[in-house]
Amino acid sequence: MRKRRILLLIPILLSSAIMLLPFAWMLSASLKTNVEVFKFPIEWIPKNPQWRNYVTIWSKIDFGRFYFNTIKLTVIITLLQLATCSLAAYAFAKIDFPERNALFVAYIATLIVPFQVIMIPQFILFRRLGLVNRHLALILLQAFSPFGVFLMRQFYLSVPNELVEAARIDGLSEFGIYRKIMLPLSKPALASLTIFTFVFVWNDFLGPLIYLHSGHLRTIQLGIRMFISQYTAEYALIMAASVCSLIPVVIVFLACQRYFVEGITLTGLKG
Amino acid sequence: MKRTTRNRLVAYSFLLPNFIGFLVFTLIPVIAALGLSFMKWDSYSPMRFVGLRNFQTMLKDSSFKIAFWNTLYFTGLTVPLTIVVALILALALNKGLRSVKVFRAIHFFPHVASTIAVAVVWQFLYHPDMGPINQLLRLVGVSDPPRWTASVTWAMPAVIIMSVWKSAGYYMVMFLAGLQGIPGHLYEVATIDGATAWQKFRYVTLPLLTPTLFFVLTMNLIYSFKVFDQIYIMTEGGPGRATMVLVYYIYLQAFVNQNFGYASAMAAVFFLLILGVTIFQFRLQERWVTYLD
């Protein structure tokens, strides 16, 4: 038994190393000089760590502005999604009205249409509305996600109808039921949706690439892309910028790991 | 007030904030996407109906054909590789290792990290002369290692390896959930019947894991068809057109060349590809997916 356990541990340890080494290399390179970055054999812990790199990147490009833009978009989109999706999901899960199924099918149908397929008509629409090159375009684009409605509805379905009925008999309004019963019960689903949205908006590249053209509007992902094209040979600085772009996601991931996994099982396997 | 009318009013007031946004920014564009593909529109001259001409152009456009085949090449290798790696890891991790959570987190992290940051690192790792991957290959005796993203032959495999690395952990978590859903008593019965470890895997684990496998396959196919970010950062479709994939070509035609009509027609073909493969998947499902109930 012991022997078998060790045998199983070998592939897992090996693949863990493969998963982590690129990040370790990135961190280590971010603390080197450009000459040292590609030295071989790799010096994992730099003898002379260049902490200065982390100061330089903020002055070389408008990194602070990119950070602020990304945080702004992430917070606004996530809050709007939580509010509008949880409300709509309540109607789909707990209120009986004639067009319920037809409307829900429309939501589900668009879920299988990838963003890449509708990005052109969306862009044309936003250009007509005069919203291209404004943060509002991305906010409107991502705040009403059918995925969020789907996820919340799946969770609400697991709340017994008897509970809702009993509250109705007690004279609670529908909004009261939503606010006082459903929302408190659905904390895990809300947490999963928050994390999904946060990670998606933070990491999104194609959306900002299409909509945000002016330098002062750029998000962090666009900022990194700009950094690489402007300072091709500044290897260490590019790595430092990449590390900075990952930090918020690392923090959220470490703090809320279980919701990532719960979110996967909620939307996927039990369907 | 009648009950239905009241319910309707209440339901719509709950739906409204989301539905308006959904209708204007998702549903209408979905419908418009189809219409646009029959238009010629380069945003300088007014839009005009050209019937199927965009689709005829596609057949003669060598870049489109290359992008189409490259997308299949990328998907055809990425999907099976990811699934095999994810499945092996999940099986190893499921067998009573104490620190499952730590290993799960380590493998899941590349999926959560931004593709842009990760692609930038891999581009450095792949550097043909100075990159650590080729340095290591030279150390173990490969005198002429591949030039990775700088080589027509190796650019696509380079992107594929990076993509498998990035998403294997995500699907591993799904497989783990699937494995944990298999009732333990089935293994006990199999043990009593004298089944070997291989037989248990072949006749208990594998059949009962097929619903997860089906789900993972469907998701992974769609996800791979949409590849864009790593191509944009690592190769820009090159060298030459070696890593030109559909979404990248659609992006170029629409947002760089402003050929909105033509790009929409390609987007329609792209969607049909995804839809076709997904429908085919669901059709085939009955033949190999086992549901416990």
Side-chain angles (χ1 to χ4, degrees):
Chain A
M1 208 54 209
R2 187 100 178 268
K3 222 167 142 193
R4 219 177 109 203
R5 193 165 272 173
I6 293 169
L7 218 66
L8 286 166
L9 204 59
I10 292 170
I12 289 292
L13 282 176
L14 192 72
S15 75
S16 298
I18 296 172
M19 293 293 155
L20 287 180
L21 281 180
F23 294 110
W25 191 86
M26 170 195 233
L27 199 61
S28 147
S30 76
L31 292 171
K32 293 176 180 172
T33 61
N34 287 326
V35 186
E36 290 168 339
V37 165
F38 287 114
K39 242 193 209 159
F40 198 81
I42 302 164
E43 194 180 283
W44 290 99
I45 297 165
K47 271 193 215 89
N48 207 346
Q50 306 288 313
W51 298 106
R52 186 157 23 102
N53 288 346
Y54 282 90
V55 182
T56 316
I57 48 168
W58 298 85
S59 53
K60 270 237 153 127
I61 50 169
D62 207 350
F63 216 63
R65 165 67 69 176
F66 301 156
Y67 234 86
F68 173 78
N69 287 341
T70 318
I71 292 171
K72 173 186 158 192
L73 282 172
T74 310
V75 170
I76 294 176
I77 291 170
T78 307
L79 287 179
L80 278 172
Q81 264 210 34
L82 287 178
T84 68
C85 294
S86 67
L87 277 168
Y90 180 78
F92 281 130
K94 295 295 174 209
I95 303 176
D96 190 20
F97 63 105
E99 298 83 12
R100 183 165 82 169
N101 287 341
L103 278 177
F104 192 63
V105 166
Y107 269 81
I108 294 296
T110 58
L111 212 55
I112 62 160
V113 184
F115 168 68
Q116 289 82 350
V117 172
I118 54 171
M119 63 185 180
I120 298 166
Q122 274 174 342
F123 178 78
I124 289 163
L125 176 72
F126 278 108
R127 204 168 59 174
R128 284 267 162 87
L129 296 172
L131 292 177
V132 169
N133 208 17
R134 288 178 60 180
H135 283 154
L136 190 57
L138 284 173
I139 292 171
L140 291 174
L141 208 61
Q142 295 170 348
F144 312 101
S145 130
F147 169 76
V149 176
F150 176 69
L151 187 143
M152 292 308 298
R153 173 188 172 267
Q154 291 302 91
F155 188 85
Y156 287 160
L157 287 181
S158 69
V159 176
N161 281 330
E162 290 78 22
L163 198 66
V164 180
E165 282 305 327
R168 276 186 192 134
I169 292 165
D170 286 348
L172 210 56
S173 70
E174 291 293 329
F175 189 75
I177 300 173
Y178 161 80
R179 217 183 63 85
K180 296 209 176 98
I181 297 177
M182 293 307 249
L183 277 191
L185 278 177
S186 58
K187 271 185 196 141
L190 290 170
S192 287
L193 183 58
T194 307
I195 287 163
F196 272 136
T197 315
F198 169 83
V199 173
F200 173 79
V201 179
W202 190 274
N203 290 343
D204 188 21
F205 181 65
L206 188 51
L209 181 68
I210 293 173
Y211 284 99
L212 308 177
H213 305 144
S214 310
H216 70 282
L217 292 177
R218 289 204 174 101
T219 62
I220 199 134
Q221 309 298 338
L222 286 183
I224 288 186
R225 159 73 197 170
M226 193 180 94
F227 203 163
I228 323 171
S229 46
Q230 275 180 11
Y231 302 96
T232 326
E234 292 281 5
Y235 309 117
L237 289 183
I238 292 172
M239 286 297 102
S242 304
V243 170
C244 285
S245 81
L246 285 179
I247 287 172
V249 174
V250 174
I251 293 171
V252 171
F253 179 65
L254 290 179
C256 321
Q257 223 205 97
R258 53 180 272 247
Y259 294 113
F260 278 91
V261 178
E262 274 173 21
I264 288 182
T265 35
L266 194 66
T267 48
L269 306 168
K270 294 285 173 218
Chain B
M1 214 182 334
K2 249 179 68 188
R3 197 179 140 81
T4 340
T5 326
R6 202 194 70 97
N7 273 1
R8 214 181 232 155
L9 270 176
V10 176
Y12 281 112
S13 53
F14 272 90
L15 277 177
L16 207 63
N18 190 276
F19 186 72
I20 292 181
F22 167 74
L23 180 76
V24 177
F25 304 117
T26 304
L27 201 56
I28 292 176
V30 167
I31 297 160
L34 196 66
L36 268 177
S37 52
F38 300 105
M39 304 289 174
K40 176 171 173 60
W41 193 21
D42 49 19
S43 99
Y44 303 110
S45 46
M47 195 182 341
R48 84 172 193 276
F49 182 78
V50 290
L52 292 173
R53 199 172 307 156
N54 285 329
F55 296 92
Q56 285 163 346
T57 313
M58 233 178 277
L59 290 175
K60 281 179 259 157
D61 180 353
S62 65
S63 290
F64 171 76
K65 278 186 244 176
I66 288 172
F68 189 88
W69 290 116
N70 278 344
T71 306
L72 294 187
Y73 174 20
F74 175 83
T75 308
L77 276 181
T78 305
V79 172
L81 281 173
T82 310
I83 289 182
V84 169
V85 172
L87 187 57
I88 291 173
L89 290 174
L91 286 169
L93 209 50
N94 193 39
K95 283 281 179 243
L97 283 179
R98 260 174 241 127
S99 16
V100 172
K101 278 192 182 154
V102 177
F103 289 121
R104 193 172 64 184
I106 292 173
H107 286 80
F108 197 75
F109 186 65
H111 168 73
V112 182
S114 97
T115 313
I116 302 306
V118 158
V120 172
V121 180
W122 276 84
Q123 204 187 10
F124 285 1
L125 298 179
Y126 277 133
H127 194 291
D129 305 312
M130 312 182 282
I133 291 178
N134 275 1
Q135 302 264 30
L136 195 70
L137 286 175
R138 280 193 204 98
L139 196 71
V140 298
V142 184
S143 57
D144 188 21
R147 297 190 63 76
W148 302 112
T149 51
S151 138
V152 174
T153 326
W154 285 97
M156 190 59 104
V159 177
I160 291 172
I161 292 170
M162 176 264 173
S163 305
V164 172
W165 170 85
K166 193 173 188 314
S167 58
Y170 173 68
Y171 297 107
M172 181 200 82
V173 172
M174 290 192 182
F175 279 130
L176 265 179
L179 285 171
Q180 273 147 20
I182 298 175
H185 68 259
L186 292 178
Y187 291 105
E188 285 159 28
V189 173
T191 312
I192 293 166
D193 287 349
T196 63
W198 165 252
Q199 282 170 329
K200 279 184 211 165
F201 172 73
R202 175 67 191 81
Y203 297 106
V204 180
T205 311
L206 206 55
L208 292 181
L209 206 58
T210 47
T212 315
L213 195 60
F214 171 72
F215 183 75
V216 166
L217 188 63
T218 312
M219 296 267 297
N220 198 351
L221 274 170
I222 296 177
Y223 193 74
S224 300
F225 280 137
K226 297 195 293 194
V227 59
F228 177 82
D229 291 9
Q230 53 266 61
I231 300 273
Y232 192 100
I233 296 293
M234 291 167 76
T235 63
E236 294 185 19
R241 292 179 287 188
T243 54
M244 176 73 83
V245 287
L246 276 177
V247 173
Y248 191 76
Y249 191 51
I250 293 171
Y251 165 80
L252 284 184
Q253 284 293 348
F255 300 105
V256 179
N257 300 343
Q258 310 264 315
N259 282 325
F260 290 121
Y262 185 45
S264 294
M266 288 192 288
V269 170
F270 171 65
F271 181 57
L272 285 180
L273 177 71
I274 288 186
L275 194 67
V277 169
T278 309
I279 290 173
F280 182 68
Q281 281 268 320
F282 273 86
R283 281 273 165 82
L284 222 59
Q285 182 187 199
E286 307 164 5
R287 297 223 188 136
W288 64 277
V289 180
T290 320
Y291 290 100
L292 201 53
D293 308 316

